[in-house]
Amino acid sequence: MPALDEKLQDIYTEVLERNPGESEFHQAVREVLDSLGPVVAKHPQYLDAAVIRRLCEPERQIIFRVPWVDDAGNVQINRGFRVEFNSALGPYKGGLRFHPSVYLGIVKFLGFEQIFKNSLTGMPIGGGKGGSDFDPKGRSDAEIMRFCQSFMTELYRHIGEYTDVPAGDIGVGGREIGYLFGQYKRITNRYESGVLTGKGLSWGGSQVRPEATGYGTVFFAEQMLEQRNESFDGKRVVISGSGNVAIYAVEKVHQLGGTVVAVSDSSGHIIDDKGIDLALLKEIKNDRRGRISEYAEAKGGSVQFSEAGSIWQVPCDIALPCATQNELNGADARTLIKNGCTIVAEGANMPCTPDAAHLFTKANLAFAPGKAANAGGVATSALEMQQNASRDSWTFEHTEARLEAIMRNIHHRCLETAEEYGAPGDYVAGANIAGFTQVADAMLALGIV
Ligand code: NDP
Protein backbone atom coordinates (compact mmCIF):
# COMPACT_ATOMS: atom_id res chain seq x y z
CA MET A 1 0.00 0.00 0.00
CA PRO A 2 1.53 3.41 -0.91
CA ALA A 3 2.44 5.68 2.07
CA LEU A 4 0.07 8.48 3.05
CA ASP A 5 0.90 12.15 2.70
CA GLU A 6 2.48 13.25 6.04
CA LYS A 7 -0.35 15.54 7.16
CA LEU A 8 -2.95 12.93 6.28
CA GLN A 9 -0.92 10.32 8.16
CA ASP A 10 -1.28 12.42 11.35
CA ILE A 11 -5.05 12.48 10.85
CA TYR A 12 -5.14 8.73 10.27
CA THR A 13 -3.05 8.07 13.40
CA GLU A 14 -5.51 10.19 15.40
CA VAL A 15 -8.44 8.18 13.97
CA LEU A 16 -6.73 4.91 15.00
CA GLU A 17 -6.10 6.20 18.52
CA ARG A 18 -9.56 7.68 19.05
CA ASN A 19 -11.48 4.68 17.69
CA PRO A 20 -9.70 1.56 18.96
CA GLY A 21 -10.83 -1.83 17.67
CA GLU A 22 -13.03 -0.42 14.89
CA SER A 23 -11.14 -2.02 12.01
CA GLU A 24 -13.81 -1.54 9.32
CA PHE A 25 -14.03 2.17 10.19
CA HIS A 26 -10.23 2.49 10.01
CA GLN A 27 -10.29 0.79 6.60
CA ALA A 28 -12.98 3.11 5.22
CA VAL A 29 -11.17 6.24 6.46
CA ARG A 30 -7.84 5.03 5.11
CA GLU A 31 -9.34 4.39 1.69
CA VAL A 32 -10.57 7.97 1.43
CA LEU A 33 -7.38 9.52 2.84
CA ASP A 34 -5.36 7.54 0.27
CA SER A 35 -7.01 9.65 -2.44
CA LEU A 36 -6.76 13.06 -0.80
CA GLY A 37 -3.01 13.82 -1.10
CA PRO A 38 -3.35 15.82 -4.35
CA VAL A 39 -6.46 17.57 -2.99
CA VAL A 40 -4.82 19.02 0.12
CA ALA A 41 -1.74 19.94 -1.91
CA LYS A 42 -3.99 22.06 -4.15
CA HIS A 43 -6.42 23.28 -1.45
CA PRO A 44 -4.60 23.70 1.90
CA GLN A 45 -7.71 25.40 3.34
CA TYR A 46 -9.22 21.95 3.94
CA LEU A 47 -6.41 21.21 6.40
CA ASP A 48 -6.35 24.72 7.92
CA ALA A 49 -10.03 24.52 8.85
CA ALA A 50 -9.60 20.91 10.06
CA VAL A 51 -12.26 19.80 7.60
CA ILE A 52 -10.89 16.26 7.30
CA ARG A 53 -10.45 15.82 11.05
CA ARG A 54 -14.00 17.05 11.60
CA LEU A 55 -15.29 14.71 8.88
CA CYS A 56 -13.75 11.73 10.69
CA GLU A 57 -15.64 12.49 13.91
CA PRO A 58 -19.40 11.75 13.75
CA GLU A 59 -21.63 14.68 14.69
CA ARG A 60 -23.61 12.37 16.98
CA GLN A 61 -23.52 8.68 17.98
CA ILE A 62 -26.49 7.06 19.66
CA ILE A 63 -26.35 3.60 21.27
CA PHE A 64 -29.43 2.17 22.94
CA ARG A 65 -30.96 -0.92 24.50
CA VAL A 66 -33.61 -2.78 22.50
CA PRO A 67 -35.58 -5.10 24.78
CA TRP A 68 -38.25 -7.37 23.27
CA VAL A 69 -40.10 -10.60 24.00
CA ASP A 70 -39.67 -13.64 21.72
CA ASP A 71 -42.43 -16.13 20.80
CA ALA A 72 -41.45 -18.42 23.69
CA GLY A 73 -41.99 -15.55 26.16
CA ASN A 74 -38.26 -14.95 26.84
CA VAL A 75 -36.95 -11.41 27.17
CA GLN A 76 -34.27 -10.66 24.57
CA ILE A 77 -31.90 -7.70 24.65
CA ASN A 78 -30.20 -6.28 21.58
CA ARG A 79 -28.17 -3.17 21.01
CA GLY A 80 -29.34 -0.41 18.65
CA PHE A 81 -27.16 2.18 16.92
CA ARG A 82 -27.60 5.36 14.94
CA VAL A 83 -24.52 7.30 13.88
CA GLU A 84 -25.38 10.75 12.53
CA PHE A 85 -22.14 11.39 10.74
CA ASN A 86 -22.36 14.57 8.72
CA SER A 87 -25.19 16.97 7.90
CA ALA A 88 -23.35 19.60 5.84
CA LEU A 89 -25.34 18.79 2.69
CA GLY A 90 -28.72 17.86 4.17
CA PRO A 91 -30.46 15.69 6.78
CA TYR A 92 -28.56 12.54 7.73
CA LYS A 93 -29.51 9.76 5.33
CA GLY A 94 -28.51 6.11 5.34
CA GLY A 95 -29.88 2.66 6.03
CA LEU A 96 -30.39 0.42 9.05
CA ARG A 97 -28.63 -2.95 9.18
CA PHE A 98 -29.93 -5.86 11.27
CA HIS A 99 -27.22 -8.52 11.44
CA PRO A 100 -25.45 -10.25 14.37
CA SER A 101 -22.09 -8.82 13.26
CA VAL A 102 -23.23 -5.19 13.76
CA TYR A 103 -21.20 -3.15 16.27
CA LEU A 104 -20.16 0.50 16.40
CA GLY A 105 -17.18 0.03 14.02
CA ILE A 106 -19.42 -1.35 11.24
CA VAL A 107 -22.02 1.39 11.65
CA LYS A 108 -19.27 4.03 11.57
CA PHE A 109 -17.64 2.61 8.43
CA LEU A 110 -21.00 2.58 6.70
CA GLY A 111 -21.91 6.06 7.92
CA PHE A 112 -18.55 7.47 6.85
CA GLU A 113 -18.86 6.01 3.33
CA GLN A 114 -22.40 7.29 3.14
CA ILE A 115 -21.22 10.93 3.43
CA PHE A 116 -19.26 10.71 0.16
CA LYS A 117 -21.79 8.52 -1.61
CA ASN A 118 -24.64 10.90 -0.83
CA SER A 119 -22.53 13.84 -1.93
CA LEU A 120 -21.81 12.08 -5.25
CA THR A 121 -25.53 11.75 -6.00
CA GLY A 122 -25.68 15.56 -6.17
CA MET A 123 -28.75 15.49 -3.92
CA PRO A 124 -29.24 17.41 -0.65
CA ILE A 125 -28.57 14.56 1.79
CA GLY A 126 -26.04 14.17 4.59
CA GLY A 127 -24.56 10.88 5.80
CA GLY A 128 -25.66 8.53 8.58
CA LYS A 129 -26.19 4.85 9.27
CA GLY A 130 -27.68 2.64 11.96
CA GLY A 131 -28.74 -0.83 12.89
CA SER A 132 -28.65 -3.54 15.47
CA ASP A 133 -26.92 -6.81 16.32
CA PHE A 134 -30.38 -8.43 16.08
CA ASP A 135 -30.38 -11.56 13.87
CA PRO A 136 -33.62 -11.75 11.88
CA LYS A 137 -32.80 -15.24 10.53
CA GLY A 138 -35.30 -17.81 11.74
CA ARG A 139 -37.45 -15.24 13.56
CA SER A 140 -41.22 -15.20 13.07
CA ASP A 141 -43.05 -12.20 11.61
CA ALA A 142 -44.43 -11.41 15.05
CA GLU A 143 -40.92 -11.39 16.56
CA ILE A 144 -39.63 -9.12 13.78
CA MET A 145 -42.53 -6.76 14.41
CA ARG A 146 -41.95 -6.61 18.17
CA PHE A 147 -38.25 -6.03 17.65
CA CYS A 148 -38.88 -3.21 15.14
CA GLN A 149 -41.41 -1.59 17.45
CA SER A 150 -38.98 -1.64 20.36
CA PHE A 151 -36.14 -0.32 18.16
CA MET A 152 -38.30 2.59 16.96
CA THR A 153 -39.50 3.38 20.49
CA GLU A 154 -36.02 4.78 21.13
CA LEU A 155 -35.04 5.82 17.60
CA TYR A 156 -38.10 8.01 16.93
CA ARG A 157 -36.82 10.87 19.10
CA HIS A 158 -33.66 11.19 17.00
CA ILE A 159 -35.14 11.14 13.47
CA GLY A 160 -37.43 13.28 11.30
CA GLU A 161 -37.82 14.38 7.69
CA TYR A 162 -35.54 17.39 8.26
CA THR A 163 -33.22 15.66 10.75
CA ASP A 164 -32.39 12.08 9.90
CA VAL A 165 -34.07 9.76 7.40
CA PRO A 166 -33.23 6.04 7.76
CA ALA A 167 -33.88 3.33 5.12
CA GLY A 168 -33.04 -0.38 4.69
CA ASP A 169 -29.76 -2.27 4.44
CA ILE A 170 -28.80 -5.89 5.20
CA GLY A 171 -31.69 -7.55 7.04
CA VAL A 172 -34.00 -4.55 6.65
CA GLY A 173 -36.41 -4.58 3.71
CA GLY A 174 -39.99 -3.53 3.03
CA ARG A 175 -41.44 -5.61 5.88
CA GLU A 176 -39.17 -4.06 8.51
CA ILE A 177 -39.63 -0.51 7.16
CA GLY A 178 -43.40 -1.08 7.46
CA TYR A 179 -43.20 -2.06 11.13
CA LEU A 180 -40.78 0.78 11.88
CA PHE A 181 -42.98 3.36 10.14
CA GLY A 182 -46.11 2.05 11.87
CA GLN A 183 -44.52 2.51 15.29
CA TYR A 184 -43.15 5.98 14.42
CA LYS A 185 -46.63 7.08 13.29
CA ARG A 186 -48.20 5.66 16.43
CA ILE A 187 -45.79 7.33 18.86
CA THR A 188 -45.69 10.72 17.16
CA ASN A 189 -49.27 10.83 15.87
CA ARG A 190 -47.86 12.20 12.60
CA TYR A 191 -48.08 10.72 9.11
CA GLU A 192 -44.61 11.98 8.29
CA SER A 193 -43.87 10.07 5.07
CA GLY A 194 -40.45 11.67 4.66
CA VAL A 195 -39.06 10.16 7.88
CA LEU A 196 -38.20 6.77 6.35
CA THR A 197 -37.58 5.60 2.80
CA GLY A 198 -38.11 2.18 1.25
CA LYS A 199 -41.81 2.37 2.13
CA GLY A 200 -44.48 0.27 0.41
CA LEU A 201 -46.03 1.70 -2.76
CA SER A 202 -49.50 2.12 -1.28
CA TRP A 203 -48.25 4.12 1.73
CA GLY A 204 -45.75 6.62 0.42
CA GLY A 205 -43.05 4.51 -1.23
CA SER A 206 -41.44 5.16 -4.60
CA GLN A 207 -41.46 3.04 -7.71
CA VAL A 208 -38.00 1.55 -8.39
CA ARG A 209 -36.77 1.90 -4.78
CA PRO A 210 -36.55 -1.90 -4.23
CA GLU A 211 -34.72 -2.28 -7.56
CA ALA A 212 -32.62 0.87 -7.30
CA THR A 213 -29.33 -0.29 -5.79
CA GLY A 214 -29.01 -3.36 -8.01
CA TYR A 215 -30.21 -1.57 -11.16
CA GLY A 216 -28.00 1.42 -10.39
CA THR A 217 -24.90 -0.76 -9.99
CA VAL A 218 -25.56 -2.35 -13.36
CA PHE A 219 -26.19 1.05 -15.00
CA PHE A 220 -22.84 2.16 -13.60
CA ALA A 221 -21.11 -0.98 -14.91
CA GLU A 222 -22.75 -0.36 -18.29
CA GLN A 223 -21.08 3.06 -18.37
CA MET A 224 -17.73 1.45 -17.51
CA LEU A 225 -18.22 -0.97 -20.41
CA GLU A 226 -19.14 1.90 -22.75
CA GLN A 227 -15.77 3.52 -21.94
CA ARG A 228 -14.22 0.40 -23.46
CA ASN A 229 -16.66 0.37 -26.38
CA GLU A 230 -18.29 -2.72 -24.97
CA SER A 231 -21.71 -3.67 -23.59
CA PHE A 232 -23.30 -6.36 -21.40
CA ASP A 233 -24.38 -8.24 -24.48
CA GLY A 234 -23.03 -11.81 -24.29
CA LYS A 235 -21.01 -11.19 -21.11
CA ARG A 236 -20.68 -13.73 -18.28
CA VAL A 237 -21.38 -12.11 -14.95
CA VAL A 238 -20.89 -13.32 -11.36
CA ILE A 239 -22.88 -11.62 -8.58
CA SER A 240 -22.36 -12.45 -4.92
CA GLY A 241 -25.25 -12.39 -2.47
CA SER A 242 -28.90 -13.07 -3.22
CA GLY A 243 -30.55 -10.29 -1.25
CA ASN A 244 -32.12 -7.04 -2.35
CA VAL A 245 -29.11 -5.66 -4.21
CA ALA A 246 -28.05 -8.92 -5.87
CA ILE A 247 -31.51 -9.94 -7.10
CA TYR A 248 -32.15 -6.69 -8.94
CA ALA A 249 -28.61 -6.61 -10.29
CA VAL A 250 -29.33 -10.04 -11.84
CA GLU A 251 -32.58 -8.69 -13.29
CA LYS A 252 -30.95 -5.70 -14.96
CA VAL A 253 -27.94 -7.66 -16.30
CA HIS A 254 -30.35 -10.06 -17.99
CA GLN A 255 -32.38 -7.16 -19.42
CA LEU A 256 -29.16 -5.76 -20.91
CA GLY A 257 -28.19 -9.04 -22.58
CA GLY A 258 -25.64 -10.43 -20.10
CA THR A 259 -25.84 -13.81 -18.35
CA VAL A 260 -25.45 -14.12 -14.60
CA VAL A 261 -24.01 -17.56 -13.93
CA ALA A 262 -23.50 -17.57 -10.15
CA VAL A 263 -25.04 -16.10 -6.99
CA SER A 264 -24.54 -16.86 -3.29
CA ASP A 265 -25.61 -16.41 0.30
CA SER A 266 -23.66 -16.83 3.52
CA SER A 267 -23.96 -20.64 3.27
CA GLY A 268 -22.41 -21.04 -0.21
CA HIS A 269 -22.88 -20.36 -3.91
CA ILE A 270 -24.62 -21.90 -6.90
CA ILE A 271 -23.47 -22.04 -10.51
CA ASP A 272 -26.07 -22.14 -13.25
CA ASP A 273 -24.33 -21.91 -16.61
CA LYS A 274 -27.62 -21.43 -18.45
CA GLY A 275 -28.18 -18.19 -16.54
CA ILE A 276 -29.83 -17.63 -13.17
CA ASP A 277 -33.58 -18.37 -13.22
CA LEU A 278 -34.72 -15.09 -11.68
CA ALA A 279 -38.32 -16.16 -11.00
CA LEU A 280 -37.04 -19.14 -8.99
CA LEU A 281 -34.47 -17.02 -7.15
CA LYS A 282 -37.12 -14.45 -6.16
CA GLU A 283 -39.50 -17.17 -5.09
CA ILE A 284 -36.88 -18.75 -2.81
CA LYS A 285 -35.37 -15.56 -1.43
CA ASN A 286 -38.25 -13.05 -1.37
CA ASP A 287 -41.32 -15.25 -0.91
CA ARG A 288 -39.93 -18.10 1.18
CA ARG A 289 -36.91 -16.40 2.79
CA GLY A 290 -35.08 -19.65 1.97
CA ARG A 291 -31.44 -20.64 1.38
CA ILE A 292 -29.58 -20.57 -1.92
CA SER A 293 -29.04 -24.36 -1.76
CA GLU A 294 -32.81 -24.68 -2.43
CA TYR A 295 -32.16 -23.30 -5.92
CA ALA A 296 -29.89 -26.27 -6.71
CA GLU A 297 -32.42 -28.66 -5.16
CA ALA A 298 -35.20 -27.22 -7.35
CA LYS A 299 -33.09 -27.48 -10.52
CA GLY A 300 -31.93 -31.03 -9.98
CA GLY A 301 -28.52 -32.14 -11.27
CA SER A 302 -27.91 -29.24 -13.73
CA VAL A 303 -26.95 -26.75 -11.01
CA GLN A 304 -24.10 -27.09 -8.54
CA PHE A 305 -24.27 -25.84 -4.95
CA SER A 306 -20.88 -25.38 -3.24
CA GLU A 307 -20.60 -24.76 0.45
CA ALA A 308 -16.85 -24.48 0.26
CA GLY A 309 -14.70 -22.31 -1.99
CA SER A 310 -15.16 -18.79 -3.19
CA ILE A 311 -17.76 -17.63 -5.73
CA TRP A 312 -14.94 -15.59 -7.32
CA GLN A 313 -13.39 -18.82 -8.66
CA VAL A 314 -16.24 -18.96 -11.18
CA PRO A 315 -14.80 -17.54 -14.44
CA CYS A 316 -16.52 -14.34 -15.59
CA ASP A 317 -16.08 -11.14 -17.62
CA ILE A 318 -17.72 -8.93 -14.99
CA ALA A 319 -17.86 -9.33 -11.21
CA LEU A 320 -20.43 -7.53 -9.05
CA PRO A 321 -19.86 -8.17 -5.33
CA CYS A 322 -23.30 -7.48 -3.77
CA ALA A 323 -23.23 -9.26 -0.37
CA THR A 324 -21.16 -7.68 2.39
CA GLN A 325 -17.89 -5.97 3.42
CA ASN A 326 -14.53 -7.65 2.79
CA GLU A 327 -16.05 -10.60 0.93
CA LEU A 328 -13.52 -10.41 -1.95
CA ASN A 329 -9.87 -10.66 -0.87
CA GLY A 330 -6.48 -10.51 -2.58
CA ALA A 331 -6.52 -14.21 -3.53
CA ASP A 332 -9.98 -13.77 -5.09
CA ALA A 333 -8.75 -10.69 -6.99
CA ARG A 334 -5.83 -12.67 -8.42
CA THR A 335 -8.21 -15.44 -9.54
CA LEU A 336 -10.56 -12.95 -11.21
CA ILE A 337 -7.67 -11.25 -13.02
CA LYS A 338 -6.24 -14.61 -14.13
CA ASN A 339 -9.66 -15.69 -15.44
CA GLY A 340 -9.90 -12.58 -17.64
CA CYS A 341 -12.40 -10.49 -15.66
CA THR A 342 -12.17 -6.84 -16.81
CA ILE A 343 -14.84 -4.99 -14.80
CA VAL A 344 -15.55 -5.04 -11.05
CA ALA A 345 -18.30 -2.80 -9.67
CA GLU A 346 -19.16 -2.91 -5.97
CA GLY A 347 -22.90 -3.29 -5.33
CA ALA A 348 -22.19 -3.89 -1.63
CA ASN A 349 -20.37 -1.46 0.67
CA MET A 350 -16.60 -2.07 0.78
CA PRO A 351 -16.82 -5.71 -0.38
CA CYS A 352 -13.25 -5.68 -1.75
CA THR A 353 -10.39 -5.73 0.73
CA PRO A 354 -7.72 -3.02 0.27
CA ASP A 355 -5.26 -5.49 -1.28
CA ALA A 356 -7.92 -6.70 -3.74
CA ALA A 357 -8.68 -3.11 -4.78
CA HIS A 358 -4.97 -2.42 -5.14
CA LEU A 359 -4.47 -5.50 -7.34
CA PHE A 360 -7.36 -4.49 -9.61
CA THR A 361 -5.90 -1.03 -10.10
CA LYS A 362 -2.44 -2.45 -10.80
CA ALA A 363 -3.86 -4.90 -13.35
CA ASN A 364 -5.62 -2.03 -15.13
CA LEU A 365 -8.96 -3.61 -14.58
CA ALA A 366 -11.86 -1.13 -14.32
CA PHE A 367 -12.79 -1.06 -10.63
CA ALA A 368 -15.68 1.03 -9.25
CA PRO A 369 -16.03 1.51 -5.48
CA GLY A 370 -19.40 1.08 -3.79
CA LYS A 371 -19.74 4.74 -2.89
CA ALA A 372 -20.13 5.45 -6.61
CA ALA A 373 -21.50 2.21 -8.05
CA ASN A 374 -24.18 1.50 -5.43
CA ALA A 375 -25.33 5.11 -4.91
CA GLY A 376 -28.52 4.43 -6.92
CA GLY A 377 -30.26 3.14 -3.80
CA VAL A 378 -29.87 6.26 -1.73
CA ALA A 379 -30.43 8.47 -4.79
CA THR A 380 -33.82 6.83 -5.32
CA SER A 381 -34.52 7.27 -1.61
CA ALA A 382 -33.96 10.98 -2.18
CA LEU A 383 -36.43 10.76 -5.10
CA GLU A 384 -38.88 9.12 -2.69
CA MET A 385 -38.41 12.08 -0.31
CA GLN A 386 -39.07 14.48 -3.21
CA GLN A 387 -42.31 12.68 -4.07
CA ASN A 388 -43.35 12.66 -0.39
CA ALA A 389 -42.65 16.39 -0.04
CA SER A 390 -44.74 17.24 -3.10
CA ARG A 391 -47.45 14.63 -2.36
CA ASP A 392 -46.77 13.15 -5.77
CA SER A 393 -45.97 9.71 -7.14
CA TRP A 394 -44.09 9.09 -10.35
CA THR A 395 -44.34 6.23 -12.82
CA PHE A 396 -41.85 3.38 -12.91
CA GLU A 397 -40.50 4.55 -16.27
CA HIS A 398 -39.97 8.14 -15.14
CA THR A 399 -38.28 7.07 -11.89
CA GLU A 400 -36.03 4.55 -13.62
CA ALA A 401 -35.02 7.17 -16.19
CA ARG A 402 -34.09 9.53 -13.31
CA LEU A 403 -32.03 6.76 -11.68
CA GLU A 404 -30.20 6.01 -14.91
CA ALA A 405 -29.42 9.69 -15.46
CA ILE A 406 -28.08 9.99 -11.89
CA MET A 407 -25.80 6.96 -12.37
CA ARG A 408 -24.49 8.36 -15.66
CA ASN A 409 -23.78 11.64 -13.93
CA ILE A 410 -21.92 9.96 -11.04
CA HIS A 411 -19.87 7.97 -13.54
CA HIS A 412 -19.03 11.15 -15.44
CA ARG A 413 -18.09 13.03 -12.26
CA CYS A 414 -15.78 10.21 -11.15
CA LEU A 415 -13.89 10.12 -14.44
CA GLU A 416 -13.75 13.89 -14.83
CA THR A 417 -12.43 14.38 -11.29
CA ALA A 418 -9.90 11.54 -11.62
CA GLU A 419 -8.58 13.20 -14.78
CA GLU A 420 -8.42 16.63 -13.10
CA TYR A 421 -6.32 15.25 -10.24
CA GLY A 422 -3.90 13.31 -12.45
CA ALA A 423 -5.36 9.82 -12.07
CA PRO A 424 -7.18 9.17 -15.37
CA GLY A 425 -9.51 6.17 -15.31
CA ASP A 426 -9.16 5.73 -11.52
CA TYR A 427 -12.75 5.45 -10.25
CA VAL A 428 -11.63 5.17 -6.62
CA ALA A 429 -9.74 8.47 -6.70
CA GLY A 430 -12.51 10.13 -8.72
CA ALA A 431 -15.29 9.03 -6.35
CA ASN A 432 -13.39 9.91 -3.18
CA ILE A 433 -12.26 13.32 -4.40
CA ALA A 434 -15.54 14.39 -6.03
CA GLY A 435 -17.53 13.22 -2.99
CA PHE A 436 -15.11 14.87 -0.57
CA THR A 437 -14.73 18.30 -2.20
CA GLN A 438 -18.47 18.96 -2.32
CA VAL A 439 -18.92 18.16 1.39
CA ALA A 440 -15.69 19.95 2.33
CA ASP A 441 -16.75 23.16 0.54
CA ALA A 442 -20.11 23.08 2.32
CA MET A 443 -18.35 22.58 5.67
CA LEU A 444 -16.08 25.56 4.97
CA ALA A 445 -19.11 27.71 4.14
CA LEU A 446 -20.96 26.66 7.31
CA GLY A 447 -18.12 27.62 9.67
CA ILE A 448 -16.67 25.63 12.56
CA VAL A 449 -19.73 23.63 13.66
P1 NDP B 1 -29.86 -8.26 2.09
O1 NDP B 1 -29.99 -8.54 3.53
O2 NDP B 1 -31.08 -8.15 1.25
O3 NDP B 1 -28.93 -9.37 1.40
C1 NDP B 1 -27.62 -9.59 1.80
C2 NDP B 1 -27.09 -10.77 1.04
O4 NDP B 1 -25.70 -10.91 1.28
C3 NDP B 1 -27.74 -12.09 1.44
O5 NDP B 1 -27.78 -12.95 0.35
C4 NDP B 1 -26.77 -12.59 2.51
O6 NDP B 1 -26.81 -13.98 2.73
C5 NDP B 1 -25.46 -12.17 1.91
N1 NDP B 1 -24.46 -12.05 2.96
C6 NDP B 1 -24.53 -11.27 4.06
N2 NDP B 1 -23.46 -11.46 4.81
C7 NDP B 1 -22.71 -12.37 4.15
C8 NDP B 1 -21.46 -12.98 4.42
N3 NDP B 1 -20.79 -12.68 5.54
N4 NDP B 1 -20.96 -13.85 3.51
C9 NDP B 1 -21.65 -14.14 2.37
N5 NDP B 1 -22.85 -13.61 2.08
C10 NDP B 1 -23.35 -12.73 2.96
O7 NDP B 1 -28.97 -6.93 1.98
P2 NDP B 1 -28.80 -5.94 0.75
O8 NDP B 1 -28.88 -6.70 -0.52
O9 NDP B 1 -29.71 -4.79 0.98
O10 NDP B 1 -27.31 -5.40 0.99
C11 NDP B 1 -26.17 -6.03 0.39
C12 NDP B 1 -25.01 -5.06 0.39
O11 NDP B 1 -25.36 -3.88 -0.36
C13 NDP B 1 -24.57 -4.54 1.75
O12 NDP B 1 -23.18 -4.32 1.73
C14 NDP B 1 -25.29 -3.20 1.86
O13 NDP B 1 -24.65 -2.33 2.77
C15 NDP B 1 -25.14 -2.72 0.43
N6 NDP B 1 -26.10 -1.69 0.02
C16 NDP B 1 -27.45 -1.89 0.13
C17 NDP B 1 -28.32 -0.91 -0.28
C18 NDP B 1 -29.79 -1.12 -0.30
O14 NDP B 1 -30.48 -0.25 -0.85
N7 NDP B 1 -30.32 -2.20 0.24
C19 NDP B 1 -27.83 0.41 -0.75
C20 NDP B 1 -26.39 0.47 -0.92
C21 NDP B 1 -25.58 -0.54 -0.51
P3 NDP B 1 -27.55 -14.58 4.05
O15 NDP B 1 -29.00 -14.41 3.76
O16 NDP B 1 -27.11 -15.99 4.10
O17 NDP B 1 -27.08 -13.77 5.22
Side-chain angles (χ1 to χ4, degrees):
M1 224 48 65
L4 271 177
D5 174 288
E6 196 185 323
K7 295 191 191 81
L8 296 172
Q9 180 61 51
D10 290 347
I11 295 174
Y12 185 56
T13 304
E14 188 180 332
V15 167
L16 296 179
E17 283 169 5
R18 285 172 68 81
N19 305 279
E22 297 177 358
S23 57
E24 296 85 358
F25 177 51
H26 303 162
Q27 184 182 334
V29 170
R30 173 70 200 230
E31 196 219 86
V32 171
L33 294 184
D34 273 333
S35 300
L36 296 187
V39 181
V40 293
K42 204 164 162 184
H43 304 287
Q45 67 271 28
Y46 295 141
L47 285 174
D48 299 342
V51 167
I52 303 174
R53 285 177 56 216
R54 282 191 280 146
L55 257 172
C56 293
E57 184 69 21
E59 290 175 14
R60 193 173 298 107
Q61 308 181 54
I62 302 143
I63 304 182
F64 50 98
R65 182 175 68 195
V66 190
W68 57 285
V69 180
D70 68 18
D71 286 347
N74 300 313
V75 177
Q76 301 279 346
I77 312 283
N78 286 99
R79 191 170 282 177
F81 302 88
R82 187 70 184 167
V83 173
E84 298 179 333
F85 226 115
N86 192 288
S87 59
L89 295 180
Y92 311 104
K93 181 89 198 86
L96 299 171
R97 177 177 292 192
F98 292 169
H99 192 270
S101 63
V102 167
Y103 76 108
L104 189 59
I106 294 230
V107 182
K108 278 164 73 176
F109 119 64
L110 291 164
F112 185 74
E113 290 246 312
Q114 197 82 44
I115 304 170
F116 308 98
K117 178 189 309 193
N118 294 3
S119 161
L120 278 172
T121 65
M123 298 165 111
I125 40 180
K129 201 83 188 188
S132 173
D133 58 2
F134 172 69
D135 187 356
K137 265 199 204 96
R139 290 294 177 189
S140 69
D141 264 8
E143 289 177 315
I144 300 281
M145 181 176 76
R146 287 196 294 275
F147 175 80
C148 289
Q149 289 175 340
S150 181
F151 186 86
M152 185 52 87
T153 301
E154 171 61 33
L155 187 70
Y156 88 96
R157 69 191 81 242
H158 307 289
I159 61 177
E161 64 180 313
Y162 298 110
T163 315
D164 184 353
V165 184
D169 190 80
I170 291 179
V172 178
R175 174 182 59 169
E176 290 74 18
I177 294 293
Y179 295 146
L180 291 163
F181 186 71
Q183 184 73 349
Y184 182 86
K185 183 172 78 61
R186 182 187 193 191
I187 297 173
T188 60
N189 194 29
R190 281 165 63 85
Y191 205 108
E192 192 184 329
S193 301
V195 72
L196 286 170
T197 58
K199 298 182 293 297
L201 279 181
S202 60
W203 44 278
S206 172
Q207 294 281 359
V208 193
R209 180 60 190 92
E211 294 85 355
T213 310
Y215 277 21
T217 302
V218 175
F219 284 141
F220 196 96
E222 190 185 24
Q223 292 294 302
M224 296 165 83
L225 284 159
E226 256 185 57
Q227 285 296 309
R228 300 179 167 217
N229 295 318
E230 290 180 49
S231 75
F232 267 104
D233 207 21
K235 294 285 192 304
R236 252 177 90 90
V237 183
V238 168
I239 297 181
S240 61
S242 48
N244 172 265
V245 179
I247 284 178
Y248 290 106
V250 173
E251 184 162 287
K252 187 50 75 181
V253 167
H254 285 176
Q255 286 172 12
L256 295 178
T259 305
V260 179
V261 293
V263 291
S264 63
D265 65 17
S266 57
S267 57
H269 65 271
I270 53 129
I271 306 175
D272 188 345
D273 277 313
K274 291 206 195 87
I276 296 296
D277 176 342
L278 191 61
L280 177 61
L281 184 66
K282 281 184 178 173
E283 203 242 309
I284 294 169
K285 284 293 174 181
N286 290 348
D287 304 346
R288 281 197 262 146
R289 298 180 189 274
R291 309 304 299 156
I292 203 64
S293 53
E294 294 168 35
Y295 183 102
E297 283 156 26
K299 286 279 174 182
S302 65
V303 172
Q304 281 168 255
F305 168 68
S306 313
E307 249 175 302
S310 160
I311 189 173
W312 308 117
Q313 287 165 354
V314 181
C316 63
D317 304 304
I318 297 164
L320 305 177
C322 294
T324 195
Q325 65 276 353
N326 292 327
E327 52 155 314
L328 193 166
N329 62 26
D332 297 324
R334 277 188 206 92
T335 308
L336 283 168
I337 294 165
K338 181 171 67 70
N339 287 342
C341 174
T342 55
I343 304 262
V344 179
E346 294 185 332
N349 286 312
M350 212 168 72
C352 298
T353 60
D355 54 335
H358 189 61
L359 285 164
F360 290 146
T361 309
K362 237 174 66 185
N364 216 10
L365 183 147
F367 169 61
K371 57 172 80 71
N374 72 34
V378 73
T380 308
S381 277
L383 299 180
E384 183 174 331
M385 290 160 76
Q386 272 184 34
Q387 293 169 77
N388 294 152
S390 57
R391 303 271 189 271
D392 198 0
S393 56
W394 306 340
T395 63
F396 191 96
E397 291 70 26
H398 175 73
T399 318
E400 189 183 19
R402 291 282 306 263
L403 168 65
E404 189 172 3
I406 291 166
M407 297 316 295
R408 276 177 187 275
N409 188 44
I410 297 174
H411 180 269
H412 175 75
R413 272 182 82 185
C414 287
L415 283 190
E416 190 183 54
T417 308
E419 182 92 34
E420 184 188 337
Y421 283 87
D426 185 339
Y427 288 98
V428 174
N432 285 335
I433 298 172
F436 168 78
T437 49
Q438 185 167 342
V439 184
D441 289 339
M443 287 175 72
L444 283 178
L446 298 182
I448 309 292
V449 288

